[in-house]
Amino acid sequence: MAKSDFKKLRELNLKLAKQKIKESVNEDNLICQAINSIAETDKIINTLAKRLREWYSLYNPEFTNSISNNEKFVELITKKTKENLLKELNINESMGADLKKTDLDAILTLAKQITTLFKYQSETELYLKTIMENYCPNLKELAGTTIGAKLLEHTGSLKRLVMMPASPLQILGAEKALFRHIKTGARPPKFGLIHDHQFIQSAKRQEQGKRARALADKLSLAVKMDYFKGKFIAKKLKVELEEKFK
């Protein structure tokens, strides 16, 4: 084969490889990136909110200690003055220092940055919900956007999730506890990522294992319907679960 032919073959192989890489990007990749971005943003928000609370407490400790919700805390300190916040708490005088405007501006700048992160997180959650409604509507409806996305991220793709039996799906995300059970004989995990599902959280502790098994069975059916482009049956599956544990 001539040198020029080798060059053409190499160029063709490179072109085909690039095309395959381009086509390999799908909804699985987008969902994984979105849920990871939400989780990492949440960690950043919690870290910065803790710093903001400590900083703002130098100025207004009474209000800082009166509210636990970080998003609401940030919203109120950026919109209301110290006097107004204290008035709502029926406090006439604060133990906090009378900071200079430049000091207070620095605190509020951090608060505004956290507000931006909350907005970004909300927009990403909406994007994730939209893409899952189109790609895996049964999983999204039955598991919820966050849990459904975490299940997909943990396995890497909808195809791998479909290939997984209900029992491993039930404890997906609890691998450390499972290995500890195998190694030391400790109690086996009853659930993994699905633990945060409202269907399990609303049950008594002794009933949560049974509910986890039932939910995993229905999720297994739901992802199969999504992968093979079947009917939307998630609402029917929800009703069946509720009827079973009435």
Side-chain angles (χ1 to χ4, degrees), residues 150-162:
K150 285 180 178 179
L151 289 171
L152 272 175
E153 190 275 333
H154 207 75
T155 54
S157 69
L158 186 61
K159 182 179 180 179
R160 290 177 185 170
L161 194 56
V162 167

Side-chain angles (χ1 to χ4, degrees), residues 133 136-144 197 199 215 218-219 221-222 225-226 231-244:
E133 282 175 348
C136 49
N138 285 293
L139 176 61
K140 181 262 171 190
E141 180 68 25
L142 187 58
H197 197 285
F199 179 68
L215 178 59
K218 298 301 183 185
L219 285 171
L221 289 173
M225 279 292 179
D226 288 334
K231 295 179 181 179
F232 180 72
I233 60 169
K235 289 186 178 179
K236 178 186 174 184
L237 296 176
K238 271 186 175 181
V239 172
E240 290 174 358
L241 281 172
E242 291 167 0
E243 289 290 332
K244 185 174 180 179

Side-chain angles (χ1 to χ4, degrees), residues 42-217:
D42 194 52
K43 290 178 183 177
I44 294 168
I45 287 173
N46 288 334
T47 300
L48 291 179
K50 182 180 179 182
R51 172 61 51 224
L52 176 65
R53 282 178 177 276
E54 291 182 8
W55 202 352
Y56 188 77
S57 67
L58 301 175
Y59 176 65
N60 188 357
E62 293 82 4
F63 178 73
T64 303
N65 296 327
S66 71
I67 183 169
S68 59
N69 184 286
N70 284 332
E71 188 170 6
K72 193 67 179 175
F73 171 75
V74 174
E75 179 187 351
L76 289 173
I77 68 171
T78 53
K79 290 184 177 180
K80 296 186 178 183
T81 63
K82 177 180 180 179
E83 290 72 24
N84 288 335
L85 294 173
L86 290 173
K87 188 176 181 181
E88 291 178 5
L89 296 174
N90 294 318
I91 296 174
N92 295 324
E93 188 176 356
S94 172
M95 293 185 294
D98 295 324
L99 299 182
K100 298 176 183 176
K101 184 179 183 302
T102 52
D103 299 321
L104 183 58
D105 285 346
I107 296 172
L108 295 180
T109 297
L110 175 58
K112 289 172 185 176
Q113 293 300 318
I114 296 172
T115 299
T116 302
L117 287 172
F118 273 121
K119 183 180 178 182
Y120 164 74
Q121 190 178 47
S122 178
E123 289 173 351
T124 308
E125 287 171 351
L126 181 60
Y127 161 74
L128 181 61
K129 179 181 177 182
T130 301
I131 195 171
M132 288 186 71
E133 282 175 348
N134 294 325
Y135 182 57
C136 49
N138 285 293
L139 176 61
K140 181 262 171 190
E141 180 68 25
L142 187 58
T145 302
T146 301
I147 295 175
K150 285 180 178 179
L151 289 171
L152 272 175
E153 190 275 333
H154 207 75
T155 54
S157 69
L158 186 61
K159 182 179 180 179
R160 290 177 185 170
L161 194 56
V162 167
M163 295 170 66
M164 181 175 289
S167 51
L169 189 153
Q170 178 183 335
I171 59 171
L172 193 66
E175 289 80 7
K176 288 184 179 179
L178 179 62
F179 293 146
R180 186 165 57 246
H181 160 67
I182 295 170
K183 187 176 180 179
T184 67
R187 294 181 66 180
K190 294 181 179 179
F191 31 60
L193 294 169
I194 64 173
H195 172 259
D196 294 331
H197 197 285
Q198 183 60 32
F199 179 68
I200 296 174
Q201 288 294 307
S202 62
K204 295 178 181 178
R205 189 169 183 177
Q206 60 268 27
E207 195 182 46
Q208 288 184 342
K210 292 180 180 179
R211 289 200 172 207
R213 283 193 294 274
L215 178 59
D217 287 338

